[in-house]
Amino acid sequence: MTKFEIDRSLVVRIMDDLSRYGSDGGTGITRTVYSPAWVEATDAYARWVEDAGFAARRDAVGNVWARLEGATDGPCVVSGSHIDSQTPGGRFDGTLGAVAALVAIRTLKEQAGTPRVPVEAVALCEEESSRFPAAGLWGSRAITGRIAEDDLVSVRDFDDIAIGDAMRAVGLDPARILEARRDDIDAFVELHIEQGPILEQAGFPVAIVKAITGIRHYQVVLEGTQNHAGAFPMDLRRDPMAGFAEIASGLIDTAHRWGRPAVSTVGRVAVSPNGTAVIPERVTFTVDARHPDPDSFHRLCRTHEAHMLEVAARRDLAIRWRTLIQFEPSPSDPAIVEALTTAAAIQGVPHLVMASGAAHDTQQMAQIARTAMVFVRSKDGRSHTPEEYSSLDDIVAGIEVLTAGLHRLAYRGESA
Amino acid sequence: MTKFEIDRSLVVRIMDDLSRYGSDGGTGITRTVYSPAWVEATDAYARWVEDAGFAARRDAVGNVWARLEGATDGPCVVSGSHIDSQTPGGRFDGTLGAVAALVAIRTLKEQAGTPRVPVEAVALCEEESSRFPAAGLWGSRAITGRIAEDDLVSVRDFDDIAIGDAMRAVGLDPARILEARRDDIDAFVELHIEQGPILEQAGFPVAIVKAITGIRHYQVVLEGTQNHAGAFPMDLRRDPMAGFAEIASGLIDTAHRWGRPAVSTVGRVAVSPNGTAVIPERVTFTVDARHPDPDSFHRLCRTHEAHMLEVAARRDLAIRWRTLIQFEPSPSDPAIVEALTTAAAIQGVPHLVMASGAAHDTQQMAQIARTAMVFVRSKDGRSHTPEEYSSLDDIVAGIEVLTAGLHRLAYRGESA
C-alpha cells in the first residue's frame, strides 16, 4: 500500500512562478491563448518539466507535455488541465491541474520508479474561450482530432484575428494541427478547483468527480407589441416583459424544486427598445440548463421548453429559440472513480463523490479515453475572478489523491 | 345654440404642410426642438397664423402664438400643443393640437365674431424630451415660469450641447427666457391624439379628459452574488435575476388586478455581467407606475415598494432605488370638462370621458390655469412611431368639440 508524500514547497514554487505570467493586479491573471503572457507561461511550464527531469514536448497546437516512460509503450495514462485564464481570472482555475499533473509524475518517478505504462502530464493551451469565444476547448479538441480545417479561419478573437493567424504569430504551424491528435491514451484524469461551494459547505477538501454535467444554452426571443406605457391598459397589452418574468421565475423554480444537481440560470437579457415608458417589443434572454444524468438532462430541457411554449401561447407572445451550445453529460469511468476513491482512502484524504456542474477539458478527452476528475475545495465557491482561492493544504490533498490514483492506474494494472 | 363647421380642407392643408418639416421617410417625422426642421415648422406655423388673419408672436423660448382679441383683455383662454416630435415620431402627436387650436380660433373669429375674453392658439416648442432628455416640457415650463437659470446650462442634448446654446443658435436669447412667463391665462385646453386603444376599443372618435395620470419612474438596483452557473447549486444562490423576475411579475400583476386606469410597466433592464453562464451580480431595471387618482397613485406606488422590499428581503438580495421622475395626478377643471361635454353634445360628437395615461403639457399648464384636454382616437392605439394615425373624420370631430368648448369658455362666460 504505497502512500505518497507531496513536496509542498515545490507546489508553491511552481504556482508562484506561473502566477507571474499575465499578472493583472493583485491575484488576478489575464492569460489568453497565444498571447505574450501565455507564451511566457508555457515556457515556464516547460522549464519546470525539465527541472523535474523530463523532456518538454510542445505539440502542434501549443499543449506542453511531460512523459514518464513506462515498461511498455502504452496505451498511457494522462493528467493535466489548461493554462489559459479568464480576463481576469485567478491563479488556480486550470493552472492548478497542469501543475498538479507535473508534480504527480515527478513524485511517481521519485517515489515509485518506472510505471507499467507511460504517465504524462499536460498543460492544455486553451479552455476558457476568453479570447476566441468559439474556441471550444481548443487544446483538448486538438488532442481528440476534433478541430476542422475551417476552424483555423472561422474561429476569431474580439479583434477579428483568426486563431490560425494567432498560432502563426507564436511560432506554431496551423497546417500541422492534426499532428496534435493522440490515439494512445487509455485514461485521462484532470485535477481542477471545484468552482462551487459544495465541498466547503460539506467540509471536505477534495472530491472525486463521478460525472460532468450536460449543458444546454438557449437563446430565446420573446416578442409582443411595443406600446405607450401610460396610454395602453394592462388588459390589452402583449407585454414580453411579463412573459419573460414568468418564464424566468418558472425555469429557476423548476431547477430549484428538482434539487441538486439540477441547475438553471438566466444570465443574459436584452430588451428592445429598452425605454422606461415603453412596453417592450422584444425581450431576448439566455437559459443555461444543466444536469449530469443523461435522462434527467433531457427531461429538464424538455420541461423548460414546455414551460416557455405554454407561457408564450397563453400570453399571445411570439417565441423562438436556438441552441447556442449543447454538451451531453459525461459520466466518469467507474474503474477510475474506484481507483481515485481507493487512492484517497490510502492517502487518508476525506472526500466526497460528486458531479461537476462546470464544463471541463475532460468532457472532450472522454471522446478518446476513459476519464474522471479530482476537485479541490474553492473558498466561497468562487472562480473566474481574482478572488478564487484554494488553500495549500487542500491543494496538496488533491495532488496526493491524483498521484496515488495515477499510481493505481499506471503501476498496478488498473488501467485498461 | 351655436354649432360650428370646421373647414376640413384647411385642416388637411396645414397638417400636410407641417408634415414636410422633419420628414423622416414615409409618414415619419424627426423634429427635435431648435433643430433646422423645427425652425422650418415654426416658421410654417407662423405663416398659417398670418394666413388666418392673426399676428404671429414668438415668445422668448420659441413658442408661437396667435391671439383672437376679446372685448376685454383677459384673463384669456388658450389652446395648443407641442410641435416637436419623437425621433422618429409621426405626424399627429403634438402637432395636431397646435393645428387644432389655430383652426379653432380662426373658426371662432369667422363664425362667432369677437369673444368676451381673448382666445389664443399656441404651438409649444418642446414636450418630447427627444433631444434634451431633461428638457421636461420646456415650452410649457417657460410659460409657467418653472425654468431655472441653471437649466439653460445643465439641460444638454446627446451631443452635450446646452439648451441655452441651442436657443442662441436659432436666434433666441436665453437671458430673456423669463419673458415667456404668462400670468393672465384662465383656461388651457389641449387637443391631442389618445396614444392608446381605449377609444378605438369602445368605438368613440373623441374623449374629454377628466384627469391626467400621476407618473412615477423608479430606477431599481437589485444585487446578489455573482457565481458560476454550473457549479453553484440553486439552494445556495443569491440570484438577483430570480428576484427581478418575481418583482416584475408582481408589479405587472398588481396593476392588472387593480384594473383600468392603473398601469405599471417594466421597460428597461440591464444585467451585470450579462453572461450566459454567470449568475448575475446585479439587475438594474425601471418601473413606470401610473394612476390618475391621487390617493390611488400613491397607494399603487406604496404597494410596489412594499412588494420590492419583501421579495428582496426574502431572497437575501440588496435593493435600492431612486425616483427618476414624479408627476402628481392632474385632475381636469370640472367646469371645463362640463363645457367640453356640452360642446360635444351640441356638435353631435359621440364621446367618452376618460383619464389620460400619458403625460402632457397640460400638466405643466395646470400650475397656472384651469385645464382639460380633448383626445382624438388613435389607430391601434399607436404613437411615438411613424405608424401613428388618426382619421380626418375623427380629427374634425375633435376640433369641433375644441372649438365649441372654447366658445363656451370665451364667449358665454363659462370662463373664470
Side-chain angles (χ1 to χ4, degrees):
Chain A
M1 199 171 89
T2 317
K3 193 169 169 189
F4 294 94
E5 289 287 329
I6 303 303
D7 181 348
R8 296 168 68 94
S9 73
L10 175 67
V11 175
V12 171
R13 287 200 309 280
I14 307 181
M15 288 299 289
D16 282 355
D17 182 31
L18 289 178
S19 71
R20 294 161 54 204
Y21 312 109
S23 173
D24 190 359
T27 54
I29 302 282
T30 292
R31 189 161 67 213
T32 58
V33 67
Y34 306 142
S35 68
W38 176 92
V39 171
E40 291 179 329
T42 54
D43 285 351
Y45 189 83
R47 283 196 299 275
W48 286 107
V49 166
E50 279 159 14
D51 181 72
F54 304 108
R57 180 176 76 83
R58 291 157 193 273
D59 69 16
V61 79
N63 300 318
V64 184
W65 299 81
R67 180 174 170 111
L68 171 60
E69 295 292 350
T72 67
D73 242 13
C76 54
V77 174
V78 177
S79 180
S81 189
H82 59 96
I83 201 163
D84 69 323
S85 79
Q86 287 289 330
T87 55
R91 304 172 167 206
F92 302 94
D93 184 347
T95 301
L96 179 62
V99 172
L102 175 56
V103 171
I105 67 168
R106 179 173 181 156
T107 305
L108 288 172
K109 185 180 64 149
E110 293 171 359
Q111 297 176 29
T114 300
R116 198 176 58 81
V117 296
V119 193
E120 298 188 45
V122 61
L124 298 164
C125 64
E126 199 284 335
E127 188 265 358
E128 296 286 11
S129 294
S130 51
R131 175 175 174 187
F132 299 91
L137 315 179
W138 192 248
S140 46
R141 272 214 288 156
I143 296 170
T144 61
R146 260 67 172 181
I147 293 179
E149 201 172 318
D150 180 56
D151 292 339
L152 294 163
V153 177
S154 65
V155 173
R156 290 177 173 270
D157 72 6
F158 295 109
D159 296 323
D160 205 36
I161 297 171
I163 198 164
D165 292 333
M167 290 176 68
R168 275 184 210 97
V170 298
L172 295 167
D173 179 359
R176 302 180 60 179
I177 200 149
L178 283 179
E179 296 176 17
R181 183 170 179 182
R182 293 284 295 265
D183 56 8
D184 60 340
I185 299 175
D186 166 47
F188 180 78
V189 183
E190 179 176 11
L191 180 146
H192 202 281
I193 58 170
E194 182 201 343
Q195 304 182 265
I198 292 172
L199 285 172
E200 186 176 70
Q201 290 270 330
F204 289 89
V206 166
I208 315 302
V209 175
K210 65 181 173 185
I212 301 177
T213 192
I215 306 178
R216 186 162 176 184
H217 284 176
Y218 297 86
Q219 182 168 64
V220 187
V221 180
L222 195 61
E223 282 177 335
T225 305
Q226 178 181 333
N227 271 306
H228 191 291
F232 233 84
M234 303 305 287
D235 55 292
L236 298 179
R237 297 184 179 195
R238 294 176 64 240
D239 180 359
M241 186 67 77
F244 164 69
E246 187 177 354
I247 286 171
S249 287
L251 300 175
I252 291 168
D253 186 54
T254 295
H256 200 157
R257 282 184 300 99
W258 279 35
R260 301 185 189 184
V263 288
S264 294
T265 306
V266 176
R268 197 174 173 88
V269 180
V271 182
S272 174
N274 213 31
T276 305
V278 187
I279 303 160
E281 181 183 5
R282 185 167 50 250
V283 178
T284 305
F285 60 98
T286 57
V287 178
D288 172 314
R290 305 187 188 213
H291 201 293
D293 173 70
D295 287 347
S296 300
F297 172 59
H298 292 288
R299 192 157 54 88
L300 183 65
C301 291
R302 283 197 307 274
T303 303
H304 288 344
E305 291 173 16
H307 175 60
M308 293 194 288
L309 289 172
E310 190 280 325
V311 172
R314 174 162 39 79
R315 292 181 173 273
D316 189 23
L317 300 167
I319 192 166
R320 60 183 188 273
W321 61 71
R322 62 193 183 93
T323 299
L324 300 176
I325 65 166
Q326 177 155 346
F327 296 144
E328 295 300 319
S330 174
S332 298
D333 180 74
I336 301 182
V337 170
E338 176 69 24
L340 291 167
T341 307
T342 305
I346 290 171
Q347 294 293 139
V349 173
H351 62 281
L352 282 184
V353 177
M354 63 179 279
S356 169
H360 291 288
D361 285 305
T362 294
Q363 270 165 292
Q364 184 58 231
M365 295 300 290
Q367 311 243 11
I368 59 165
R370 299 184 300 138
T371 61
M373 294 184 70
V374 175
F375 273 175
V376 172
R377 174 161 55 188
S378 292
K379 183 173 182 331
D380 300 328
R382 306 294 303 278
S383 70
H384 289 191
T385 162
E387 282 85 48
E388 70 182 23
Y389 177 77
S390 295
S391 74
L392 184 60
D393 281 349
D394 290 355
I395 287 170
V396 168
I399 299 177
E400 282 183 15
V401 173
L402 176 68
T403 306
L406 295 176
H407 178 254
R408 298 192 78 76
L409 295 172
Y411 290 73
R412 291 174 53 95
E414 291 175 20
S415 171
Chain B
M1 199 170 90
T2 317
K3 194 171 168 186
F4 295 95
E5 288 289 329
I6 304 303
D7 181 349
R8 296 168 69 95
S9 73
L10 176 68
V11 174
V12 171
R13 288 200 308 280
I14 308 180
M15 289 298 290
D16 281 356
D17 182 31
L18 289 178
S19 71
R20 295 160 54 204
Y21 311 109
S23 173
D24 191 359
T27 55
I29 302 282
T30 293
R31 188 161 68 213
T32 58
V33 67
Y34 307 142
S35 68
W38 175 92
V39 170
E40 291 178 327
T42 53
D43 286 349
Y45 189 81
R47 284 196 298 274
W48 286 107
V49 166
E50 281 159 12
D51 180 71
F54 304 107
R57 182 176 74 82
R58 291 159 192 273
D59 69 15
V61 78
N63 301 318
V64 183
W65 299 80
R67 180 172 168 111
L68 171 60
E69 294 294 349
T72 65
D73 242 14
C76 54
V77 173
V78 177
S79 180
S81 190
H82 60 95
I83 201 162
D84 69 321
S85 80
Q86 288 288 330
T87 54
R91 303 171 167 208
F92 301 93
D93 184 347
T95 300
L96 179 61
V99 172
L102 176 56
V103 171
I105 66 167
R106 180 173 179 155
T107 305
L108 288 173
K109 186 180 65 147
E110 292 171 359
Q111 297 175 29
T114 300
R116 198 177 57 80
V117 296
V119 193
E120 298 186 45
V122 61
L124 298 164
C125 65
E126 199 283 334
E127 189 264 0
E128 296 285 12
S129 295
S130 51
R131 175 174 173 188
F132 298 91
L137 315 181
W138 191 249
S140 47
R141 272 214 288 155
I143 297 170
T144 61
R146 262 65 173 181
I147 293 179
E149 203 174 317
D150 180 56
D151 291 339
L152 294 163
V153 178
S154 65
V155 173
R156 290 175 173 271
D157 72 6
F158 295 109
D159 295 324
D160 206 37
I161 296 171
I163 198 166
D165 293 333
M167 290 176 69
R168 275 185 210 97
V170 297
L172 295 167
D173 179 1
R176 300 180 61 178
I177 201 150
L178 284 180
E179 296 175 17
R181 184 172 178 182
R182 292 284 295 266
D183 56 8
D184 59 341
I185 300 175
D186 165 47
F188 180 79
V189 183
E190 179 176 9
L191 181 146
H192 202 281
I193 58 169
E194 183 201 341
Q195 306 182 266
I198 292 173
L199 286 172
E200 187 177 68
Q201 291 270 330
F204 288 89
V206 166
I208 315 301
V209 175
K210 65 181 175 185
I212 302 177
T213 194
I215 306 178
R216 187 163 175 182
H217 284 177
Y218 297 85
Q219 183 169 61
V220 187
V221 180
L222 195 62
E223 283 178 333
T225 305
Q226 177 181 333
N227 272 306
H228 191 292
F232 232 85
M234 303 305 287
D235 55 294
L236 299 178
R237 296 183 179 197
R238 294 176 63 240
D239 180 358
M241 187 67 77
F244 164 70
E246 187 177 354
I247 286 171
S249 288
L251 300 175
I252 291 168
D253 185 53
T254 295
H256 201 156
R257 284 186 299 99
W258 279 34
R260 300 186 189 181
V263 289
S264 294
T265 306
V266 176
R268 197 175 171 88
V269 180
V271 181
S272 174
N274 213 31
T276 305
V278 186
I279 303 161
E281 180 183 7
R282 184 167 51 250
V283 179
T284 305
F285 60 99
T286 56
V287 178
D288 172 315
R290 305 186 187 213
H291 202 291
D293 173 70
D295 286 349
S296 300
F297 173 59
H298 291 289
R299 191 157 56 87
L300 182 66
C301 290
R302 284 197 307 272
T303 303
H304 288 345
E305 291 173 15
H307 176 60
M308 293 194 288
L309 290 171
E310 190 280 326
V311 172
R314 174 163 38 80
R315 291 181 173 275
D316 190 22
L317 300 167
I319 192 167
R320 61 182 187 275
W321 61 71
R322 62 192 181 95
T323 299
L324 299 176
I325 65 164
Q326 177 155 347
F327 296 145
E328 296 300 319
S330 173
S332 298
D333 179 72
I336 301 182
V337 169
E338 176 67 24
L340 291 166
T341 307
T342 305
I346 290 171
Q347 295 293 139
V349 174
H351 62 281
L352 282 184
V353 177
M354 64 179 279
S356 168
H360 291 289
D361 285 305
T362 294
Q363 270 165 294
Q364 184 58 229
M365 295 300 290
Q367 311 243 11
I368 58 163
R370 300 183 299 138
T371 61
M373 293 184 71
V374 175
F375 272 176
V376 172
R377 174 162 52 188
S378 291
K379 183 172 183 330
D380 300 329
R382 306 294 302 278
S383 70
H384 288 191
T385 161
E387 282 85 48
E388 69 183 21
Y389 177 75
S390 296
S391 75
L392 183 59
D393 283 349
D394 290 356
I395 287 171
V396 168
I399 300 177
E400 280 183 17
V401 173
L402 177 68
T403 304
L406 296 176
H407 179 255
R408 298 192 78 75
L409 296 172
Y411 289 73
R412 294 174 51 95
E414 289 175 21
S415 171

